[in-house]
Amino acid sequence: MEILNYVALVAVALLCVFGVKLYGHFFSSGKKNWTKIIARGAIFGAIATILYVVEIFTIHLPFLPSFLSLHFDEIPIFVAGFAYGPWTALAVIVVKTVIKLPLTSTMGVGELSDLLFSAAFVIPATIIYKKNRTIKGAAIGLGISFVLQVIVAVLMNIYAMLPFYMFVMGLPEAAIVGMCNAANPAILTIFPDWKWGYGLLAVVPLNVIKNTVVVIVTFIVYRSIHKLLRFED
């Protein structure tokens, strides 16, 4: 895994260099085109990929099952989306997902789920902010996206990811239940269906904590550097 991290870092570095060169070459043109979106996506995608792939930027919480972790790759995605629009944000999400896929340990389902989670969080907020470029517009967009992302994460985990791990990858239900019980026994005792206990007592806290950090840091970073970024016309 350590070797794969180094490979990912090299790929990210090359992608960043390529993106900067491409962006610098085509930005002088007044036309809006896909080359600009790809270039911007490459630059911010490189930063997002580092936060997504490299283990030192991943946080595990003791009261959650060991297979759940916090990563904050959505911060640069939000910055790109607020500065350049939802298409660029989507490009960044795709870039970091494609780079992570060769390193997958879940046959790609984890990465594709993260893509959906990030899209549900970032895209609505950037669309709303594009229509109303004010602090109020950003706050409304982030608030709506915050709630939407948590709902999508819960439903996807209960109805897609857990069945995939159990029936496709052959992970016994008892093993997942055991990891949940070791982290937080309430997951198995409060709700009749342990899957809903997992969704509401593990997935929800994980995403609420992560989303809160992402929103706060995004506000601080974007307000600090937005004048250095070039906006769409």
Side-chain angles (χ1 to χ4, degrees), residues 58-201:
T58 300
I59 300 174
H60 294 273
L61 300 176
F63 56 87
L64 297 178
S66 58
F67 54 85
L68 294 178
S69 61
L70 294 171
H71 46 81
F72 305 104
D73 48 280
E74 286 152 346
I75 295 171
I77 301 174
F78 264 119
V79 173
F82 282 163
Y84 303 121
W87 282 113
T88 300
L90 182 60
V92 175
I93 294 172
V94 171
V95 165
K96 64 107 174 177
T97 302
V98 169
I99 294 178
K100 178 66 166 57
L101 277 175
L103 311 178
T104 184
S105 58
T106 63
M107 298 173 62
V109 70
E111 288 71 25
L112 294 178
S113 297
D114 285 340
L115 186 151
L116 292 176
F117 300 157
S118 294
F121 193 17
V122 176
I123 301 303
T126 54
I127 291 175
I128 293 172
Y129 183 70
K130 188 177 179 67
K131 301 293 184 181
N132 182 12
R133 284 189 176 277
T134 63
I135 294 178
K136 181 179 179 180
I140 292 173
L142 288 169
I144 293 173
S145 293
F146 189 114
V147 175
L148 179 61
Q149 192 274 340
V150 173
I151 294 173
V152 171
V154 171
L155 296 179
M156 280 288 296
N157 271 276
I158 292 174
Y159 293 110
M161 296 188 69
L162 286 179
F164 175 87
Y165 290 133
M166 288 188 291
F167 299 115
V168 178
M169 295 189 68
L171 185 64
E173 180 175 342
I176 300 177
V177 170
M179 287 185 281
C180 292
N181 184 64
N184 184 1
I187 293 175
L188 306 179
T189 58
I190 292 182
F191 297 92
D193 187 344
W194 72 269
K195 293 179 183 178
W196 276 100
Y198 164 77
L200 297 177
L201 297 181

Side-chain angles (χ1 to χ4, degrees), residues 83 129 221-231:
Y129 183 70
V221 171
Y222 186 70
R223 283 180 61 83
S224 301
I225 69 171
H226 75 278
K227 292 183 180 180
L228 302 177
L229 302 173
R230 296 185 179 183
F231 293 84

